[in-house]
Coordinates of all heavy atoms in Angstrom, one line a residue:
Y1 N 101.5 113.3 93.7 CA 101.1 111.9 93.4 C 102.0 111.0 94.3 O 101.4 110.1 94.9 CB 101.3 111.6 91.9 CG 101.0 110.1 91.6 CD1 99.7 109.7 91.6 CD2 102.1 109.2 91.5 CE1 99.4 108.3 91.4 CE2 101.8 107.9 91.2 CZ 100.5 107.4 91.2 OH 100.2 106.1 91.0
F2 N 103.3 111.2 94.3 CA 104.1 110.3 95.1 C 104.0 110.5 96.6 O 104.4 109.6 97.4 CB 105.6 110.5 94.6 CG 105.9 109.8 93.3 CD1 106.1 110.6 92.2 CD2 105.9 108.4 93.2 CE1 106.3 110.0 91.0 CE2 106.2 107.8 91.9 CZ 106.4 108.6 90.8
S3 N 103.6 111.7 97.0 CA 103.5 111.9 98.5 C 102.1 111.6 99.1 O 102.0 110.9 100.1 CB 103.9 113.4 98.8 OG 103.0 114.2 98.1
V4 N 101.1 112.1 98.4 CA 99.7 111.8 99.0 C 98.9 111.0 98.1 O 97.9 110.3 98.6 CB 99.0 113.2 99.3 CG1 99.7 114.0 100.3 CG2 98.9 114.0 98.0
G5 N 99.1 111.0 96.8 CA 98.3 110.2 95.9 C 98.4 108.7 96.1 O 97.4 108.0 96.1
M6 N 99.7 108.3 96.1 CA 99.9 106.8 96.3 C 99.4 106.3 97.6 O 99.2 105.1 97.8 CB 101.4 106.5 96.0 CG 101.8 106.8 94.6 SD 103.5 106.2 94.3 CE 103.3 104.4 94.2
E7 N 99.4 107.2 98.6 CA 98.9 106.8 100.0 C 97.4 107.0 100.2 O 96.9 106.8 101.2 CB 99.7 107.6 101.0 CG 101.2 107.4 101.0 CD 101.6 106.0 101.3 OE1 100.9 105.3 102.2 OE2 102.6 105.5 100.8
N8 N 96.8 107.5 99.1 CA 95.3 107.7 99.2 C 94.9 108.7 100.3 O 93.9 108.5 101.0 CB 94.5 106.4 99.3 CG 94.6 105.6 98.0 OD1 94.6 106.1 96.9 ND2 94.8 104.3 98.2
K9 N 95.8 109.7 100.5 CA 95.5 110.7 101.6 C 94.7 111.8 100.9 O 95.3 112.7 100.4 CB 96.8 111.2 102.2 CG 97.5 110.1 103.0 CD 98.8 110.6 103.6 CE 99.5 109.6 104.4 NZ 100.8 110.1 105.0
E10 N 93.4 111.7 101.0 CA 92.6 112.7 100.3 C 91.9 113.7 101.3 O 91.6 113.3 102.5 CB 91.4 111.9 99.6 CG 92.0 111.0 98.5 CD 90.8 110.2 97.9 OE1 89.7 110.4 98.3 OE2 91.1 109.5 96.9
L11 N 91.7 114.9 100.8 CA 90.9 115.9 101.6 C 89.5 115.8 101.1 O 89.2 115.6 99.9 CB 91.5 117.3 101.3 CG 92.9 117.6 101.9 CD1 93.3 119.0 101.5 CD2 93.0 117.4 103.4
N12 N 88.6 115.9 102.0 CA 87.2 115.8 101.7 C 86.4 117.0 102.3 O 86.0 117.0 103.5 CB 86.6 114.5 102.2 CG 85.2 114.3 101.7 OD1 84.7 115.0 100.8 ND2 84.5 113.3 102.2
W13 N 86.2 118.0 101.5 CA 85.4 119.2 101.9 C 84.8 119.8 100.7 O 85.1 119.4 99.6 CB 86.2 120.2 102.8 CG 87.3 120.9 102.1 CD1 88.4 120.4 101.6 CD2 87.3 122.3 101.7 NE1 89.2 121.3 101.0 CE2 88.5 122.5 101.0 CE3 86.4 123.3 101.9 CZ2 88.9 123.8 100.6 CZ3 86.8 124.6 101.4 CH2 88.0 124.8 100.8
W14 N 84.0 120.8 100.9 CA 83.3 121.4 99.7 C 84.3 121.8 98.6 O 84.0 121.7 97.4 CB 82.5 122.7 100.2 CG 81.8 123.4 99.1 CD1 80.5 123.1 98.7 CD2 82.3 124.5 98.3 NE1 80.2 124.0 97.7 CE2 81.2 124.8 97.4 CE3 83.4 125.2 98.3 CZ2 81.3 125.9 96.5 CZ3 83.6 126.2 97.4 CH2 82.5 126.5 96.5
G15 N 85.4 122.3 99.0 CA 86.4 122.8 98.0 C 87.2 121.7 97.3 O 88.0 122.0 96.4
T16 N 86.9 120.4 97.6 CA 87.5 119.3 96.8 C 86.5 118.4 96.2 O 86.8 117.3 95.8 CB 88.4 118.5 97.8 OG1 87.6 118.0 98.8 CG2 89.6 119.3 98.3
N17 N 85.3 118.9 96.1 CA 84.2 118.1 95.5 C 83.9 118.5 94.0 O 82.7 118.4 93.6 CB 83.0 118.1 96.3 CG 83.1 117.4 97.7 OD1 83.9 116.5 97.8 ND2 82.4 117.9 98.7
G18 N 84.9 118.9 93.3 CA 84.7 119.2 91.9 C 84.0 120.6 91.7 O 84.0 121.4 92.6
E19 N 83.5 120.8 90.5 CA 82.9 122.1 90.2 C 81.5 122.3 90.6 O 80.9 123.3 90.4 CB 83.1 122.4 88.7 CG 82.2 121.5 87.8 CD 82.1 122.0 86.4 OE1 82.6 123.1 86.1 OE2 81.5 121.3 85.6
H20 N 80.9 121.2 91.2 CA 79.5 121.3 91.7 C 78.5 121.6 90.6 O 77.6 122.4 90.8 CB 79.4 122.4 92.8 CG 80.4 122.2 93.9 ND1 80.1 121.3 95.0 CD2 81.6 122.7 94.2 CE1 81.1 121.3 95.8 NE2 82.0 122.1 95.4
C21 N 78.7 120.9 89.5 CA 77.7 121.0 88.4 C 77.2 119.7 87.9 O 77.2 119.4 86.7 CB 78.4 121.8 87.2 SG 78.8 123.5 87.5
Q22 N 76.9 118.8 88.9 CA 76.5 117.4 88.5 C 75.3 117.4 87.5 O 75.2 116.5 86.7 CB 76.2 116.6 89.8 CG 77.4 116.3 90.6 CD 77.8 117.4 91.6 OE1 77.1 118.5 91.5 NE2 78.8 117.2 92.4
L23 N 74.4 118.3 87.7 CA 73.2 118.3 86.9 C 73.4 118.7 85.4 O 72.6 118.5 84.6 CB 72.1 119.3 87.5 CG 71.6 118.9 88.9 CD1 70.5 119.9 89.3 CD2 71.1 117.5 88.9
A24 N 74.6 119.2 85.1 CA 74.9 119.6 83.7 C 75.0 118.4 82.8 O 74.8 118.5 81.6 CB 76.3 120.4 83.7
S25 N 75.2 117.2 83.4 CA 75.3 116.0 82.6 C 73.9 115.4 82.4 O 73.8 114.2 81.8 CB 76.2 115.0 83.2 OG 77.5 115.5 83.3
C26 N 72.8 116.0 82.8 CA 71.5 115.4 82.7 C 70.8 115.8 81.4 O 71.1 116.9 80.9 CB 70.6 115.9 83.9 SG 71.2 115.3 85.5
P27 N 69.9 114.9 80.9 CA 69.1 115.3 79.8 C 67.9 116.2 80.2 O 67.6 116.3 81.4 CB 68.6 113.9 79.3 CG 68.5 113.1 80.6 CD 69.7 113.6 81.4
T28 N 67.3 116.8 79.2 CA 66.2 117.7 79.6 C 64.9 117.3 78.8 O 63.9 118.0 79.0 CB 66.5 119.2 79.2 OG1 66.9 119.2 77.8 CG2 67.7 119.7 80.0
A29 N 64.9 116.2 78.1 CA 63.7 115.8 77.4 C 62.7 115.2 78.4 O 63.1 114.6 79.4 CB 64.1 114.8 76.3
K30 N 61.5 115.3 78.1 CA 60.4 114.8 79.0 C 60.5 113.2 79.0 O 60.6 112.6 78.0 CB 59.1 115.2 78.5 CG 58.8 116.7 78.7 CD 57.4 117.1 78.2 CE 57.2 118.6 78.4 NZ 55.8 119.0 78.0
G31 N 60.4 112.7 80.2 CA 60.2 111.2 80.4 C 61.5 110.5 80.4 O 61.5 109.2 80.6
I32 N 62.7 111.1 80.2 CA 64.0 110.4 80.1 C 64.5 110.3 81.6 O 64.7 111.3 82.2 CB 65.0 111.1 79.2 CG1 64.5 111.1 77.8 CG2 66.3 110.4 79.3 CD1 64.3 109.8 77.2
E33 N 64.7 109.1 82.1 CA 65.2 108.9 83.4 C 66.6 108.4 83.4 O 67.0 107.4 82.8 CB 64.3 107.8 84.1 CG 62.8 108.2 84.3 CD 62.0 107.2 85.0 OE1 62.6 106.4 85.7 OE2 60.8 107.3 85.0
V34 N 67.4 109.2 84.2 CA 68.9 108.9 84.3 C 69.2 109.0 85.8 O 68.7 110.0 86.5 CB 69.7 109.8 83.5 CG1 71.2 109.6 83.7 CG2 69.4 109.7 82.0

């Protein structure tokens, strides 16, 4: 945090984009738009 976090030095590649399960937060009922 004190070395790279406060300086906003972020890595951006497939391995730093979370667990890749964005659709898990979606509803499955018909007609519901999110």
